[in-house]
Amino acid sequence: MCFEKIIKICEVNEIDFLLLAGDIFDSNNVDENTVGAFLRGIEKLSATNVICVAGNHDPLTANSPLLRISLPKNLTVIEPNDQCVTFANKGVNIFGKSFGSTYMTGAENFSLPADNDNINIMLLHGDL
């Protein structure tokens, strides 16, 4: 399974950040075994910060698996508004915005400014 391979690569190489750009699940009606497998994989990565945005197939709505569960400490889910997650100890800012519904239109500009003193990364899910 691809996800298991990604987890293994992060473990072996002591990766600082794993960025997941949405559509982690193919819908919000995913079975608990699949959600559990995802969580167990993330929990293995105690040295890795996992940051994700929700995509158009798994938007952050009331029935989102990412809102129904208790998240591991190393997993950050970016909200459906412009957000910046700062990792000061790594000098990294991760900017992003989750899908809050299956269909969204984007703003012309991101509302939060970059920080010239840190590495700035944008994490978005795209759909046409």
Side-chain angles (χ1 to χ4, degrees), residues 8-119:
K8 188 69 172 172
I9 289 168
C10 289
E11 284 180 304
V12 169
N13 295 290
E14 299 178 359
I15 301 298
D16 289 330
F17 297 99
L18 173 59
L19 308 178
L20 303 174
D23 288 354
I24 296 163
F25 306 110
D26 59 2
S27 79
N28 279 342
N29 298 321
V30 62
D31 67 80
E32 296 307 314
N33 291 331
T34 301
V35 175
F38 170 73
L39 291 176
R40 286 189 298 279
I42 299 303
E43 288 170 343
K44 285 183 180 179
L45 301 177
S46 59
T48 302
N49 297 293
V50 182
I51 301 90
C52 74
V53 294
N56 60 309
H57 288 134
D58 58 358
L60 280 185
T61 58
N63 65 337
S64 170
L66 296 172
L67 296 179
R68 292 191 320 247
I69 57 175
S70 178
L71 299 177
K73 292 180 183 179
N74 64 325
L75 175 59
T76 301
V77 178
I78 293 181
E79 298 292 325
N81 50 35
D82 294 355
Q83 186 177 348
C84 177
V85 181
T86 299
F87 296 90
N89 61 330
K90 302 284 184 183
V92 172
N93 295 318
I94 299 177
F95 294 85
K97 179 178 184 172
S98 280
F99 270 61
S101 64
T102 304
Y103 301 101
M104 291 181 62
T105 57
E108 192 170 310
N109 296 306
F110 198 76
S111 67
L112 302 173
D115 176 355
N116 292 331
D117 294 328
N118 288 312
I119 297 168

